[in-house]
Amino acid sequence: MNNMLTSVLRLTARSVRGVSVSQRPARWMCSSSSDEEVLKNLGQMVKKDKVVVFMKGTPAQPMCGFSNAVVQILRMHGVDQYTAYNVLDNQELRQGVKTFSNWPTIPQVFFNGEFVGGCDILLQMHQSGDLVEELDKLGIRSALLDTQTPSN
Amino acid sequence: MAITKDHIREKLIAELGAIHVDVEDTSPNRCATSFKVLVVSPQFEGKPLLQRHRMVNTCLATELKEIHAFEQKTLTPEQWEKQKQQ
């Protein structure tokens, strides 16, 4: 039982580079846990990193085009220190995060524990330049600032 | 019951006062499981992107339970005019 939980946990809370997987007992994993518990745990999960993503698949292997788009946008800005939760590993999480943020679709992106939006919003923030500013507020310097070439 | 493009368009016009709506069925074989919408409404004026998207999500809450993927773009009439000129 313990082994199973550990492996589920490892699969679900996977950090992209160097950030360790949470060792906190994940009680919401148990089938007996209530929806309330899932929501309570989500409150902690979204604050695990400055940038937290709930997605289908993993950053290394996204299982959906929209999740992949989020990963690619973050990569473009040089954001590789973030926590990604794979909702395909956990049905309760998949439903729970939608309730938690009152948002009907996956992927979902959080900055400093605050819901930012899904793929469309991140993409539009990227296109408008707002993403660079929002990352700056988190203390993350976008890699695009260093690679941009004059367009005219 | 399959969700139609017209149904989505009419609902957005009726409930969000949209003056222009484009609905595209983006499902692989047009089986009405994924949609891409452009909504132009004066009600978006002065509202941040997240709030605009939430308005659309709320309007289509019932439909979104059946829809697998949903992309949206939300513009004010002014932004829409600007975009048309580009």
Side-chain angles (χ1 to χ4, degrees):
Chain A
M1 183 61 190
N2 254 343
N3 276 344
M4 196 190 79
L5 264 186
T6 314
S7 68
V8 170
L9 186 65
R10 204 171 282 143
L11 280 167
T12 307
R14 178 171 292 155
S15 294
V16 176
R17 193 180 290 173
V19 184
S20 67
V21 167
S22 167
Q23 293 302 308
R24 186 171 45 84
R27 288 194 302 172
W28 48 270
M29 299 285 183
C30 307
S31 54
S32 59
S33 69
S34 66
D35 290 348
E36 272 167 41
E37 241 175 310
V38 175
L39 296 181
K40 202 177 118 200
N41 279 305
L42 273 161
Q44 308 273 317
M45 290 166 76
V46 299
K47 293 186 186 120
K48 198 171 174 299
D49 244 322
K50 285 178 185 174
V51 178
V52 170
V53 179
F54 293 83
M55 61 181 288
K56 291 181 181 175
T58 63
Q61 196 168 13
M63 301 298 281
C64 154
F66 301 105
S67 289
N68 183 41
V70 164
V71 170
Q72 297 308 325
I73 292 166
L74 291 174
R75 187 169 294 160
M76 250 187 276
H77 288 262
V79 183
D80 48 19
Q81 300 267 346
Y82 61 93
T83 295
Y85 297 97
N86 182 0
V87 302
L88 296 180
D89 283 340
N90 188 295
Q91 271 307 313
E92 284 182 25
L93 180 62
R94 187 174 178 172
Q95 285 313 310
V97 73
K98 294 180 183 178
T99 311
F100 179 82
S101 3
N102 183 27
W103 192 259
T105 47
I106 306 286
Q108 297 191 7
V109 180
F110 289 79
F111 287 171
N112 268 351
E114 205 172 307
F115 181 63
V116 173
C119 173
D120 286 329
I121 289 185
L122 200 72
L123 181 62
Q124 283 167 59
M125 282 170 70
H126 164 68
Q127 288 165 341
S128 68
D130 288 348
L131 186 54
V132 172
E133 278 175 43
E134 290 303 317
L135 288 173
D136 185 61
K137 285 183 198 164
L138 303 176
I140 300 170
R141 183 178 164 82
S142 167
L144 287 186
L145 290 171
D146 302 321
T147 54
Q148 254 166 8
T149 47
S151 50
N152 295 317
Chain B
M1 188 197 74
I3 295 153
T4 64
K5 290 200 286 184
D6 284 341
H7 171 80
I8 292 177
R9 184 184 298 111
E10 280 158 24
K11 205 164 181 190
L12 289 166
I13 290 170
E15 292 184 23
L16 291 183
I19 57 160
H20 179 90
V21 180
D22 278 338
V23 187
E24 192 188 330
D25 183 348
T26 52
S27 20
N29 36 17
R30 301 255 170 89
C31 55
T33 52
S34 45
F35 289 96
K36 188 175 184 172
V37 299
L38 164 71
V39 191
V40 183
S41 167
Q43 290 183 23
F44 293 147
E45 212 86 55
K47 296 199 173 83
L49 200 52
L50 180 59
Q51 204 180 334
R52 295 178 188 188
H53 281 225
R54 282 202 191 281
M55 287 164 74
V56 173
N57 289 343
T58 306
C59 173
L60 299 174
T62 326
E63 291 76 11
L64 283 174
K65 286 179 190 146
E66 314 288 323
I67 296 172
H68 171 72
F70 188 71
E71 292 170 76
Q72 55 170 305
K73 202 160 186 194
T74 48
L75 300 176
T76 61
E78 197 185 330
Q79 290 174 319
W80 169 232
E81 285 304 319
K82 254 189 213 162
Q83 186 168 305
K84 275 195 288 188
Q85 282 162 19
Q86 277 169 6

